[in-house]
């Protein structure tokens, strides 16, 4: 399919070219990286993407705004409702809809629940890549609780189609707040276990410390966002820089690390789970148990104008650029994927690393191919 | 010295790992014994679609085509003709391609009479995809088989043993149904 040459570099006949993926279990989906090896050192790394391409942007141009929202779910499928929010915010801005405060709070609770769910999946699969199976079983066990809470309210586990213009589709389940509080208590008991199994694990230290160092300058130049950027020492977080929904009302920190290595990226994601729990706890106190959950939006909305809105999803800045031409369908929708942009550092980090380190580096980038290939 | 400390580190790490894992041995296993024990799905869970008939066997659907228009995957095909006696329309064809349906429940939300509903029957795996190209008989059969379904307008409804359709008691309903009924009326006014 590709025209990029996989031949050895002329005059370097000792270089061996290896295809990593697209069916390699450690590539988190369908990433194919053409890797040039000299002994165990990587000399070249060319990522190839597009094996999961579904033409999201073009399909969405042919759909009404209401129909676009369920499609966005299919991008970053491990973090569910987080994908819906950019489109919803952009359309709300263009329409000038008043969103009830309670709807914003519910949206933010879901947003942070999915951040925990996504980081749990990352933790399990990253440890699987490093050769540990047990954390994977435990993280999926805990993630199952989140998905159960989501299903009780939204009707689906991974692709809920729950946010809508002006709020959320339906009110939360009567026991939603109790379920979430129970889950947070459960997480509080679990987190020390995860710290023991992952962050304090000497094997993890040996495999990740000092491996795949991404300097601050390089990270900014490549445009990475999210935990990968914050692990390189840049405290950029869309939730703080351009607050949306209920984030202005809650207190949280943006964990950063100056090391920029694989371990730092692990550490930052761990701290984000703690921060997400903190945010949800505050919101559980603030959110009224009953009240409006949806603003008034005409079912036949028409939009003209253009707008870029971004949110901080589990992987970084997930943005969308919506152009409306006055009809009920978008003229153009462009998604700015966080995982897609974070993938651009693969050549920087891979070249010079050992082959087995490449697996650890890749899992620390936490790519999700639904969003990268779109 | 460093060898000793390395060995100590390894033993300590092993010990921590074993202790952490051992704690879980006494917890309840999260395993679901699915084919033997049916999972208890929430009433709003979207597993499949069905077309509900009234108790007397007449069609609830008024063939307004709202669901066809709302469907993002464009998998609903409806054909209708005018009712020769009386008003309204009659169904010629009502097909849902359940293979390409993405179970977003947009159609269920759009239906003004809660005719198309979500059900919790998920056992639809098949070797032949054509069996999932649902026509109106298939959709009616789905609703006859299910004891409980959900639509945003009416909430959870149950079919009793003697074939009556009743609204589920409040403790079975998902949240916010009272408020849901209000915007539904307002939308009709518009
Ligand atoms: S659930 Fe969604 S995709 Fe399936 S028929 Fe209804 S509107 Fe279409
Ligand atoms: S929206 Fe409801 S009433 Fe209208 S055609 Fe569809 S199923 Fe029938």
């Amino acid at each position: 399919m590709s025209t990029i040459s996989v031949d050895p570099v002329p005059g370097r006949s000792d270089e061996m070219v290896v295809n990593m993926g697209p069916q390699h279990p450690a590539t988190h989906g369908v990433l194919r990286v053409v890797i040039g090896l000299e002994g165990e050192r990587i000399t070249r790394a060319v990522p190839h993407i597009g094996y999961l391409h579904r033409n999201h942007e073009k399909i969405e141009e042919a759909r009404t705004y209401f129909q676009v929202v369920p499609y966005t779910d299919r991008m970053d499928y491990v973090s569910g409702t987080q994908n819906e929010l950019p489109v919803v915010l952009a359309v709300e801005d263009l329409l000038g809809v008043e969103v009830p405060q309670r709807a914003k709070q519910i949206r933010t609770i879901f947003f942070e629940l999915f951040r925990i769910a996504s980081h749990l999946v990352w933790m399990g699969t990253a440890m699987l890549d490093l050769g540990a199976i047990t954390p994977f079983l435990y993280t999926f066990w805990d993630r199952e609780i989140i998905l159960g809470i989501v299903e009780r309210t939204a009707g689906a586990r991974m692709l809920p189609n729950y946010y809508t213009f002006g709020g959320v589709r339906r009110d939360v389940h009567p026991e939603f707040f109790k379920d979430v509080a129970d889950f947070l208590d459960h997480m509080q008991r679990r987190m020390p276990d995860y710290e023991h199994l992952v962050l304090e694990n000497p094997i993890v230290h040996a495999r990740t410390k000092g491996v795949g160092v991404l300097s601050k300058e390089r990270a900014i130049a490549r445009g990475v966002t999210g935990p990968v950027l914050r692990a390189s020492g840049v405290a950029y977080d869309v939730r703080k820089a351009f607050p949306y929904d209920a984030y202005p009302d809650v207190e949280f920190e943006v964990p950063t690390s100056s090391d920029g290595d694989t371990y730092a990226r692990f550490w930052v994601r761990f701290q984000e789970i703690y921060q997400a729990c903190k945010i949800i706890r505050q919101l559980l106190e603030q959110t009224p148990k009953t009240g409006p959950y949806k603003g008034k939006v005409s079912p036949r909305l028409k939009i003209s104008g253009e707008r870029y809105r971004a949110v901080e999803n589990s992987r970084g800045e997930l943005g969308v650029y919506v152009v409306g031409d006055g009809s009920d369908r978008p003229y153009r929708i462009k998604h700015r994927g966080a995982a897609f942009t974070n993938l651009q550092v693969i050549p920087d980090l891979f070249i010079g690393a050992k082959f087995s380190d490449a697996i650890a580096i890749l899992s620390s980038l936490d790519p999700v191919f639904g969003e990268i290939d779109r | 010295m460093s060898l000793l400390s390395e060995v100590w580190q390894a033993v300590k790490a092993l010990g921590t790992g074993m202790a952490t894992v051992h704690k879980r041995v006494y917890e309840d296993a999260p395993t679901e014994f699915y084919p033997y024990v049916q999972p208890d799905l929430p009433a709003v869970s979207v597993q499949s679609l069905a077309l509900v008939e009234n108790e007397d066997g007449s069609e609830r659907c008024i063939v307004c085509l709202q669901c066809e228009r709302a469907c993002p995957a464009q998998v609903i095909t409806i054909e209708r003709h005018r009712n020769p006696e009386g008003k309204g329309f009659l169904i010629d064809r009502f097909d849902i391609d359940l293979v390409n349906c993405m179970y977003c429940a947009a159609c269920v939300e759009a239906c003004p009479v809660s005719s198309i509903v979500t059900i919790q029957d998920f056992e639809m795996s098949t070797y032949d995809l054509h069996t999932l190209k649902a026509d109106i008989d298939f959709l009616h059969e789905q609703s006859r088989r299910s004891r409980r379904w959900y639509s945003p307008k009416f909430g959870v409804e149950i079919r009793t043993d003697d074939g009556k359709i009743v609204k589920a008691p409040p403790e079975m309903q998902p949240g916010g149904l009272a408020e849901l009924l209000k915007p539904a009326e307002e939308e009709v006014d518009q």
Side-chain angles (χ1 to χ4, degrees):
Chain A
M1 65 152 257
S2 152
T3 53
I4 297 179
S5 164
V6 291
D7 294 336
V9 179
R12 292 260 301 272
S13 55
D14 50 346
E15 188 190 47
M16 188 168 73
V17 175
V18 179
N19 254 312
M20 187 173 136
Q23 269 121 15
H24 193 284
T27 50
H28 290 256
V30 283
L31 173 64
R32 170 176 169 229
V33 193
V34 176
I35 285 178
L37 284 174
E38 220 170 73
E40 245 196 293
R41 293 264 164 218
I42 295 175
T43 52
R44 275 194 300 159
V46 184
H48 293 223
I49 60 169
Y51 290 91
L52 208 60
H53 182 57
R54 287 150 302 164
N55 215 345
H56 266 267
E57 290 171 6
K58 198 69 195 168
I59 291 175
E60 285 162 10
E61 284 170 22
R63 300 287 183 269
T64 64
Y65 289 99
F66 283 101
Q67 293 174 343
V68 166
V69 176
Y71 274 101
T72 56
D73 266 344
R74 272 82 189 157
M75 295 201 310
D76 183 351
Y77 43 77
V78 290
S79 45
T81 59
Q82 292 189 343
N83 302 286
E84 300 162 10
L85 199 55
V87 177
V88 168
L89 288 176
V91 171
E92 278 169 1
D93 274 2
L94 288 168
L95 285 175
V97 183
E98 191 70 35
V99 185
Q101 180 65 14
R102 181 163 180 269
K104 289 185 179 177
Q105 286 160 338
I106 293 173
R107 288 209 296 221
T108 311
I109 294 177
F110 269 81
F111 204 88
E112 292 299 321
L113 277 179
F114 269 113
R115 187 187 309 280
I116 300 176
S118 167
H119 283 346
L120 284 174
V121 173
W122 158 78
M123 199 196 297
T125 49
M127 290 305 284
L128 209 54
D129 290 349
L130 298 183
I133 291 175
T134 319
F136 176 78
L137 303 173
Y138 292 172
T139 57
F140 270 65
W141 177 347
D142 288 349
R143 172 175 178 258
E144 203 65 16
I145 303 173
I146 302 181
L147 297 185
I149 295 173
V150 171
E151 187 184 20
R152 270 184 110 176
T153 290
R157 290 150 52 82
M158 285 171 72
L159 312 167
N161 184 20
Y162 183 54
Y163 296 173
T164 185
F165 311 125
V168 292
R169 257 164 213 277
R170 65 174 78 104
D171 205 350
V172 292
H173 193 274
E175 280 159 34
F176 173 76
F177 295 103
K178 191 180 143 288
D179 285 349
V180 175
D182 286 352
F183 169 73
L184 292 182
D185 294 342
H186 174 84
M187 249 348 242
Q188 204 164 18
R189 269 181 293 168
R190 287 291 205 233
M191 282 312 280
D193 289 1
Y194 291 136
E195 296 240 344
H196 289 321
L197 289 175
V198 181
L199 281 192
E200 293 165 12
N201 188 335
I203 301 172
V204 173
H205 288 193
R207 290 285 308 268
T208 60
K209 279 203 170 160
V211 170
V213 178
L214 181 65
S215 69
K216 195 171 173 177
E217 293 71 32
R218 203 72 208 140
I220 296 172
R222 288 288 191 189
V224 301
T225 46
V228 183
L229 179 67
R230 291 194 281 275
S232 295
V234 186
Y236 172 71
D237 189 321
V238 183
R239 292 176 290 175
K240 285 274 192 212
F242 307 100
Y244 52 93
D245 272 3
Y247 285 110
D249 312 331
V250 291
E251 271 177 32
F252 63 99
E253 288 141 36
V254 178
T256 54
S257 166
S258 51
D259 300 348
D261 60 356
T262 305
Y263 185 79
R265 293 191 275 276
F266 277 37
W267 182 85
V268 166
R269 288 210 177 82
F270 254 83
Q271 301 308 313
E272 284 200 354
I273 298 181
Y274 285 120
Q275 295 302 326
C277 291
K278 193 172 153 193
I279 293 171
I280 300 174
R281 265 191 211 288
Q282 295 174 39
L283 285 169
L284 285 183
E285 279 169 22
Q286 293 175 12
T287 314
K289 293 287 170 287
T290 53
Y293 58 91
K294 197 171 169 184
K296 241 185 142 25
V297 179
S298 156
R300 278 171 286 281
L301 52 91
K302 294 209 174 12
I303 288 175
S304 50
E306 45 194 86
R307 189 90 177 120
Y308 175 80
R309 278 311 288 262
V311 300
E312 180 78 25
N313 92 339
S314 328
R315 283 166 191 77
E317 177 175 340
L318 180 75
V320 73
Y321 181 59
V322 179
V323 184
D325 58 354
S327 70
D328 60 346
R329 279 147 218 263
Y331 177 74
R332 176 84 170 93
I333 281 195
K334 165 85 181 88
H335 294 289
R336 187 247 184 238
F340 173 75
T341 319
N342 290 355
L343 207 67
Q344 310 309 313
V345 295
I346 280 194
D348 291 328
L349 296 185
F350 275 23
I351 292 172
K354 290 212 175 102
F355 184 73
S356 52
D357 288 345
I359 311 277
I361 294 169
L362 184 64
S363 63
S364 76
L365 297 178
D366 194 14
V368 161
F369 274 79
E371 192 234 63
I372 291 167
D373 293 343
R374 279 191 294 256
Chain B
M1 182 59 212
S2 79
L3 182 70
L4 260 184
S5 79
E6 260 178 43
V7 170
W8 169 238
Q9 284 291 327
V11 170
K12 206 175 92 184
L14 264 178
T16 320
M18 290 304 245
T20 311
V21 172
H22 193 253
K23 260 199 302 193
R24 304 244 179 156
V25 174
Y26 300 106
E27 289 186 18
D28 287 340
T31 321
E32 288 194 12
F33 297 91
Y34 155 58
Y36 310 107
V37 182
Q38 285 288 330
D40 184 22
L41 293 171
V44 292
S45 180
V46 185
Q47 302 298 340
S48 186
L49 301 169
L51 207 58
V52 180
E53 292 165 298
N54 289 327
E55 281 167 20
D56 57 5
S58 62
E59 201 67 60
R60 231 193 218 191
C61 172
I62 52 171
V63 214
C64 63
L65 307 188
Q66 288 301 325
C67 52
E68 191 181 21
R69 279 193 204 120
C71 177
Q74 302 181 347
V75 297
I76 304 183
T77 317
I78 302 174
E79 282 168 17
R80 63 180 186 182
H81 65 266
R82 265 194 191 285
N83 192 351
E85 62 238 37
K87 50 182 181 151
F89 296 92
L90 294 177
I91 303 180
D92 288 332
R93 175 170 171 219
F94 196 115
D95 291 354
I96 302 182
D97 182 357
L98 290 178
V99 181
N100 292 322
C101 169
M102 56 160 115
Y103 300 103
C104 63
C107 49
V108 179
E109 220 150 281
C111 182
V113 292
S114 290
S115 168
I116 188 163
V117 294
T118 58
I119 56 174
Q120 283 83 51
D121 178 11
F122 55 89
E123 293 173 320
M124 298 213 299
S125 37
T126 169
Y127 286 108
D128 181 9
L129 288 184
H130 291 287
T131 58
L132 287 177
K133 309 249 182 212
D135 58 2
I136 189 158
D137 297 330
F138 185 99
L139 293 167
H140 280 158
E141 184 55 37
Q142 295 247 70
S143 88
R144 266 181 237 125
R145 269 192 299 129
S146 56
R147 318 289 298 180
R148 186 180 71 171
W149 56 82
Y150 172 79
S151 64
K153 298 266 151 45
F154 289 176
V156 182
E157 289 174 294
I158 351 180
R159 192 190 293 281
T160 55
D161 289 335
D162 47 351
K164 288 227 171 359
I165 297 173
V166 293
K167 202 159 187 169
E171 63 269 19
M172 273 180 73
Q173 300 284 358
L177 195 67
E179 293 138 50
L180 268 166
L181 287 170
K182 263 183 266 159
E185 282 157 20
E186 280 163 23
E187 266 162 39
V188 175
D189 296 344
Q190 279 172 8

